[in-house]
Amino acid sequence: MSDTHDVVKVTNTNSGILKITLNRPAALNALNIELMTQLQEILAAAKSNYAIKALLITGDGKAFCAGADINQLNTLNGQTGLDFARHGQRIFRQLEQLGKPSVAAINGFALGGGCELAMAATIRIASSTAVFGQPEIKLGVIPGFGGTQRLARLIGKGRALDLCLTGRTIKAEEALHWGLVSEVVASQEELITKAESILEQLVKLPSLAMKSMMTVIDYGYDLSLEDALELEAAHFGLCCATRDKQEGVKAFLEKRNAEFVGE
């Protein structure tokens, strides 16, 4: 089943994977208010829809997303710029904290806000033609949708400073070497197939344990080790109280495939 919005295309698969395609190819899928608002609405609906178990995010045409719409950026002043940044940050944090795994399938340009969107996904894979960067410095601004923070957390402070201060771009293989993406494939077709394959495996796993895993890694990263370990222990206890834990252990002992129910 599919649904086409003006600037975002949405497709549901029978296995519970929601495919979200940024649909402004003539503008290299640049982020304007309309696209961001539609993305926000789609993510909110996905969070509350039990049938949706995972998300695939990609871009139509030759770009994943080339960043914020420059025409819109041109209108911003101090106050509206602050509001715009906070709006984008909320949406990308919404994706990051959805409680359901997401894969960003990155084709072509992932620059500025496009790179920031990709970094908010759970997993990132790229085609060999993908290009990454935070070129905001060349426009007299800094990344505003979480780029300075997520980039440093993913690839280290030194490399984040390199990309953000110079505004230079890196190709897919270098992004793989730096840990910005976890896999590079040869073509656009293979990219979507690979992303779907990853998600097909994830949706078979226990959803409550997966949500706990993502929560603990996300929140625990910025805690002291002692507090992060306590958070991990608490979620381990929560998982031990689920039917899926009982099923998983029983299936292992009986040497059969587990049938998880999300409870």
Side-chain angles (χ1 to χ4, degrees):
M1 183 180 70
S2 65
D3 181 23
T4 302
H5 296 65
D6 291 340
V7 291
V8 183
K9 293 188 293 186
V10 179
T11 305
N12 287 303
T13 69
N14 292 331
S15 56
I17 298 170
L18 182 71
K19 182 181 178 183
I20 300 171
T21 305
L22 308 185
N23 188 35
R24 299 185 69 210
L28 300 179
N29 301 316
L31 301 170
N32 61 6
I33 286 294
E34 183 183 12
L35 189 152
M36 291 167 62
T37 299
Q38 289 185 14
L39 181 60
Q40 184 178 37
E41 293 169 352
I42 291 165
L43 293 175
K47 184 178 181 67
S48 62
N49 189 341
Y50 181 78
I52 295 174
K53 301 182 183 302
L55 285 71
L56 191 165
I57 304 173
T58 193
D60 189 30
K62 62 181 182 180
F64 175 75
C65 173
D69 191 304
I70 300 300
N71 290 323
Q72 189 146 13
L73 180 62
N74 190 43
T75 68
L76 299 179
N77 58 33
Q79 185 57 53
T80 58
L82 173 63
D83 295 339
F84 185 65
R86 285 175 171 170
H87 183 55
Q89 288 176 357
R90 283 193 297 269
I91 296 169
F92 291 3
R93 191 63 170 149
Q94 184 182 5
L95 170 63
E96 197 168 41
Q97 296 181 315
L98 200 66
K100 301 178 182 185
S102 57
V103 171
I106 304 155
N107 49 304
F109 296 113
L111 304 176
C115 189
E116 290 170 305
L117 173 59
M119 288 190 289
T122 315
I123 297 170
R124 287 157 298 284
I125 64 172
S127 69
S128 59
T129 60
V131 177
F132 300 84
Q134 299 291 161
E136 290 89 346
I137 190 71
K138 297 179 179 180
L139 298 173
V141 294
I142 71 170
F145 294 168
T148 61
Q149 302 309 303
R150 290 191 182 92
L151 196 61
R153 285 163 169 77
L154 286 170
I155 67 174
K157 183 178 177 181
R159 284 172 169 165
L161 283 166
D162 176 352
L163 287 187
C164 290
L165 289 176
T166 65
R168 73 183 183 93
T169 61
I170 59 173
K171 295 181 179 180
E173 287 298 332
E174 190 168 8
L176 177 65
H177 177 68
W178 282 12
L180 185 54
V181 300
S182 57
E183 190 166 350
V184 175
V185 299
S187 67
Q188 167 78 0
E189 294 74 20
E190 188 178 350
L191 177 67
I192 299 302
T193 299
K194 182 62 180 180
E196 290 173 342
S197 176
I198 292 170
L199 291 171
E200 290 283 356
Q201 295 303 310
L202 291 180
V203 297
K204 295 176 184 177
L205 297 172
S207 59
L208 293 178
M210 192 175 306
K211 182 177 181 180
S212 280
M213 190 88 72
M214 292 186 291
T215 298
V216 169
I217 291 174
D218 181 32
Y219 284 97
Y221 191 90
D222 294 314
L223 297 177
S224 68
L225 180 58
E226 290 76 12
D227 289 342
L229 289 173
E230 183 57 32
L231 179 65
E232 179 185 81
H235 277 268
F236 182 83
L238 289 173
C239 290
C240 284
T242 64
R243 288 177 59 189
D244 280 345
K245 175 264 181 184
Q246 296 174 5
E247 166 63 12
V249 173
K250 185 178 180 182
F252 179 84
L253 294 174
E254 295 176 353
K255 295 180 171 56
R256 60 174 175 83
N257 292 328
E259 296 181 6
F260 297 114
V261 295
E263 298 178 2

